[in-house]
Structures are given as structure tokens and as C-alpha cells.
Amino acid sequence: MAKQNNTYSSPDPNEARRKAIGNPNKNKHHKKNGSNYHPDRPAAQPITSPRTPQQQAWANLPSWAKVLFFVMLFVLILVLILRVAVFPESLLMSHIASLALGLACVGLFFMRRQTGSKSGTPANIFNLVLIGMGLLYLYLGAAGLYTLLTA
């Protein structure tokens, strides 16, 4: 089959002139959407995602509190593993585990106060539970160690 040569001539003289000039946007990168080449504008700042309140609270903690948190977590896990796996019937380890849990609760309470976390009814209830359980476990652990060591 022979190729048909259909030429379409527009009756509009402006369209004929536009086609003769060519594409005015050719090789202009800053006209493209999504292009990062903008010679006439300063470089764009990198987009940073907004921090969540938990990330802001962690960032506001002083470095000593962050180190204390990880040390406390390590000691708590170590004591609980020793209590359950190595010394399952030891009264001494039971009282030491109670002391470690109490210290962890009290430490978390003071870290929450240090960050200036939310104040409201649920936050206040959580703070009361933390300090109450912390003091209870500290008392039980200390009283148990006292009776065990004085007997």
C-alpha cells in the first residue's frame, strides 16, 4: 500500500506561524514539572517531616536522662531474666526484681516530668499510676530485703 500524504493546512495564520517557530519550551528544564533545575531561583530547602509529639519529647530529654533510660532498661531486663531463668525460687532475686521495677516506674515518672509531657486527666492518671506502682514496688522490695538480711 502506498502511504497517503495528508497535509492539513490550517486556515489560521497564527497556528502556521507557531508551528514555524517551533516549541518555545524546548530545553527549558525549569518549565518541567518535578524538575529540580531552576537557574533563576535559589536552591530549594529539603523537606523535613514534622516531628510527632513522642519524637519531640525524646528530643527534649537531656542526654543524662536518655542514658539513664537505657541503663535502667538494661538492668530491668537483666534482673527479670535472672529472676525467671537462673534463680526461679530465690527470695533475694524476687526482692531485687521488685526494687528494679519500682526504680523503673519512678524513673519513668521523673522523665515524664522532665519532658513537660501533656497535662490532662489521662496523663495525670498515668502519672499517678506510675508513681503509685513505683513506690509500692520500692517498699515491697526494700521491706523484703530488710527482713531477709536481718533474719
Side-chain angles (χ1 to χ4, degrees):
M1 279 184 101
K3 185 176 180 184
Q4 291 181 354
N5 190 2
N6 290 338
T7 57
Y8 172 75
S9 63
S10 172
D12 185 17
N14 289 334
E15 187 176 345
R17 190 174 340 124
R18 185 185 58 80
K19 286 184 178 180
I21 292 173
N23 187 358
N25 294 330
K26 188 175 183 182
N27 293 330
K28 291 195 175 184
H29 297 285
H30 66 280
K31 297 278 185 175
K32 292 182 180 178
N33 290 333
S35 175
N36 60 359
Y37 177 72
H38 304 283
D40 54 340
R41 286 190 271 160
Q45 298 296 324
I47 298 173
T48 58
S49 63
R51 291 182 164 216
T52 62
Q54 291 84 8
Q55 290 172 336
Q56 287 176 351
W58 183 256
N60 290 341
L61 272 178
S63 58
W64 64 266
K66 293 177 187 176
V67 171
L68 179 67
F69 175 75
F70 285 113
V71 167
M72 195 171 52
L73 185 67
F74 176 75
V75 168
L76 185 63
I77 289 172
L78 179 72
V79 166
L80 291 177
I81 287 174
L82 285 175
R83 163 71 178 95
V84 172
V86 181
F87 305 109
E89 295 182 15
S90 173
L91 285 177
L92 179 65
M93 281 307 291
S94 295
H95 300 309
I96 291 175
S98 294
L99 275 175
L101 280 171
L103 287 174
C105 288
V106 171
L108 286 175
F109 170 74
F110 282 114
M111 280 186 209
R112 284 179 57 87
R113 287 191 58 194
Q114 182 72 26
T115 59
S117 60
K118 298 182 216 173
S119 62
T121 303
N124 289 341
I125 291 172
F126 185 70
N127 284 339
L128 286 174
V129 168
L130 268 179
I131 197 69
M133 295 306 288
L135 292 176
L136 177 71
Y137 274 111
L138 280 174
Y139 172 74
L140 290 175
L145 279 177
Y146 178 75
T147 57
L148 188 66
L149 296 177
T150 57

